[in-house]
Amino acid sequence: MNDWQSWAAIVVFIGTYTLIISEKIHRAAAAIGGAALMLAIGATDDRSAFYSEHSGIDWNVIFLLLGMMMIVGVLKKTGMFEYLAIWSVKRARAKPFRVMVMLIVITAIASALLDNVTTVLLIAPVTLLVCERLALPSAPFLIAEVLASNVGGTATLVGDPPNIIIASRAGLTFNDFLVHLAPLCVVLLPVLIALCRFLFRKSFLYDEERAEEVMALEEREAIRDSRLLIQGLIVLVLVVAGFVLHPVLHFEPSVVALLGAGLLIAVSTVRTGEVLAEVEWPTLAFFAGLFIMIGGLIETGVIGEVSESLANVIGEHELGGSMLLLGASAALSGIVDNIPYVATMAPITSDLVESMGGGADHVLWWSLALGADLGGNATAIGASANVVVLGIAERNRQPISFWQFTKYGLVVTAVTVALAAVYVWVRYFGMS
């Protein structure tokens, strides 16, 4: 990391990150501008940026988002989200905190079964409508939902993209994640609910008049196109089945999502242009720019240097190494998106595990997964789900600022990572 390009890449990344935090310009414009500068200074090139699996745009993420956004765009036209909004409010008796708890639990469970990005794409529209019906500020509910998606997604192999990378590198199975991480997530969920009760306590304003109006509504009347709804739900079930059967079918989630979107457009009467108009293009542009910028740091050796320094400090000290890897992963995942971070750190962790004589289910893998997944809650750009929800909020003219998200995310991350450290110590060292 002695050449000028490495330092120039660091300057570009820090400068771009500063612009994103300051919100002086749109985050998508900042990310695309930063990506262009990375290419201009030669930190990366077109081949690496667009074709490299290691340091380029993660097209699986981009096309997973595109496909699911298109499916959600079709389902919006059916009235399904209005139906779900009214149904959930009535089940919670229109009590704001009960509504939040319901959304948190549903989001966490769905994120474990599907993945957190798909889940927030489906739940966020419902959340916005619920808040509109009850005259509640949407930001606290959307933020709580994102935090829940990252906690729930930690529990399984398919729940969060970093887990898929770790499983592939370490040879871990779906059941391995359930056995090692799901117990902690079951504990973290009520902790998250308690934190949300405290952090968002000023947002639970009960409007009796609004509540009575919603309770009097008949949710079935919200359905505008029954035939399209049936078509959409059939395709959605097939897509979910494709996600779950990934170990058998070997289709990437992005392929499944695109096949589902194409099938739904083909069998329905919805115009393609109308569906594409529902896509969050600024969010996709932001991800593309962010991946290229981080690719510049990878290509110039910056991230590799940081990772190797971390590995050198860890050495062969299992307990200290596990705690350091957990904490460092949480911190770094809040700064850079946790997907490229884990992609870079996975081979280094593999070498560390091998040097310690550990197996596939070594504690270092779980420290990496917990740090990256839970650390993604720290900032507005720490995980893919965060960026997606901020994009949805902005599109609905209820923007959530970087700091508005981060001031809550940091608290939740600190508490959950601390509990994860206790869990790792007790389970893998205290009980041995």
Side-chain angles (χ1 to χ4, degrees):
M1 209 179 82
N2 295 319
D3 60 298
W4 70 270
Q5 286 178 323
S6 298
W7 292 105
I10 293 172
V11 170
V12 169
F13 184 81
I14 293 175
T16 305
Y17 201 88
T18 302
L19 285 175
I20 292 170
I21 293 173
S22 68
E23 300 181 323
K24 296 293 184 183
I25 63 175
H26 194 281
R27 61 179 176 276
I32 293 296
L37 286 175
M38 286 290 190
L39 290 164
I41 65 175
T44 187
D45 56 27
D46 59 329
R47 183 167 294 278
S48 296
F50 303 124
Y51 302 109
S52 172
E53 290 185 14
H54 178 60
S55 61
I57 296 173
D58 192 330
W59 294 111
N60 281 317
V61 173
I62 299 295
F63 285 113
L64 168 64
L65 289 171
L66 176 61
M68 292 310 301
M69 285 175 179
M70 292 172 70
I71 292 172
V72 169
V74 174
L75 290 173
K76 271 185 180 180
K77 299 180 180 300
T78 67
M80 185 186 85
F81 296 123
E82 289 88 340
Y83 174 94
L84 291 174
I86 296 169
W87 179 88
S88 60
V89 169
K90 291 175 76 171
R91 294 300 172 278
R93 308 300 299 172
K95 301 289 186 180
F97 180 61
R98 289 185 186 178
V99 170
M100 180 176 282
V101 171
M102 179 181 289
L103 291 171
I104 287 174
V105 172
I106 291 173
T107 300
I109 294 173
S111 294
L113 297 175
L114 302 174
D115 67 84
N116 51 12
V117 173
T118 301
T119 298
V120 296
L121 279 168
L122 293 170
I123 304 293
V126 178
T127 307
L128 287 164
L129 289 166
V130 166
C131 293
E132 181 184 344
R133 291 284 188 179
L134 295 178
L136 294 169
S138 62
F141 290 82
L142 289 171
I143 292 172
E145 180 183 306
V146 173
L147 299 174
S149 75
N150 288 322
V151 169
T154 303
T156 66
L157 187 156
V158 299
D160 210 359
N163 290 3
I164 299 173
I165 298 171
I166 290 171
S168 175
R169 188 79 192 191
L172 297 165
T173 67
F174 190 91
N175 288 338
D176 289 329
F177 279 85
L178 279 181
V179 170
H180 289 271
L181 300 188
L184 173 63
C185 294
V186 171
V187 174
L188 292 181
L189 191 56
V191 172
L192 175 61
I193 292 171
L195 284 172
C196 288
R197 181 70 180 89
F198 171 74
L199 293 173
F200 304 121
R201 60 191 180 280
K202 295 181 180 179
S203 302
F204 304 125
L205 302 175
Y206 181 68
D207 188 325
E208 188 173 349
E209 185 177 338
R210 283 290 189 112
E212 289 177 355
E213 289 177 2
V214 177
M215 294 300 291
L217 292 173
E218 176 53 57
E219 53 264 44
R220 291 184 180 180
E221 294 178 0
I223 302 299
R224 298 188 292 270
D225 191 332
S226 298
R227 181 180 178 185
L228 183 60
L229 176 62
I230 293 171
Q231 292 172 331
L233 288 176
I234 290 173
V235 169
L236 184 60
V237 168
L238 290 173
V239 168
V240 171
F243 291 157
V244 174
L245 295 174
H246 170 70
V248 177
L249 300 175
H250 302 295
F251 283 143
E252 290 296 328
S254 56
V255 175
V256 175
L258 286 176
L259 286 172
L263 175 62
L264 185 53
I265 291 174
V267 300
S268 69
T269 57
V270 179
R271 294 181 179 179
T272 306
E274 294 177 358
V275 176
L276 291 175
E278 295 292 334
V279 173
E280 304 286 339
W281 295 109
T283 298
L284 299 184
F286 173 79
F287 273 118
L290 184 64
F291 282 131
I292 292 174
M293 280 200 302
I294 295 170
L297 295 179
I298 293 172
E299 288 292 319
T300 54
V302 174
I303 289 182
E305 186 92 7
V306 172
S307 301
E308 287 176 14
S309 298
L310 181 60
N312 291 333
V313 173
I314 291 173
E316 296 185 2
H317 305 288
E318 281 191 296
L319 175 56
S322 297
M323 295 302 163
L324 180 59
L325 184 58
L326 173 64
S329 297
L332 291 171
S333 291
I335 298 171
V336 299
D337 188 276
N338 55 14
I339 297 174
Y341 167 75
V342 169
T344 304
M345 199 62 201
I348 295 171
T349 304
S350 179
D351 292 340
L352 284 170
V353 170
E354 187 176 344
S355 68
M356 293 180 184
D361 60 349
H362 193 274
V363 61
L364 287 184
W365 287 118
W366 307 123
S367 293
L368 176 61
L370 288 170
D373 293 345
L374 298 176
N377 272 334
T379 70
I381 62 171
S384 302
N386 311 14
V387 178
V388 170
V389 169
L390 261 63
I392 292 173
E394 182 180 28
R395 187 183 182 88
N396 287 271
R397 298 177 182 177
Q398 299 185 51
I400 300 171
S401 71
F402 180 93
W403 288 113
Q404 186 179 7
F405 181 99
T406 302
K407 68 180 180 181
Y408 298 117
L410 285 172
V411 174
V412 171
T413 299
V415 173
T416 54
V417 171
L419 290 173
V422 173
Y423 173 81
V424 168
W425 178 74
V426 170
R427 174 156 186 174
Y428 300 101
F429 301 98
M431 298 174 66
S432 60

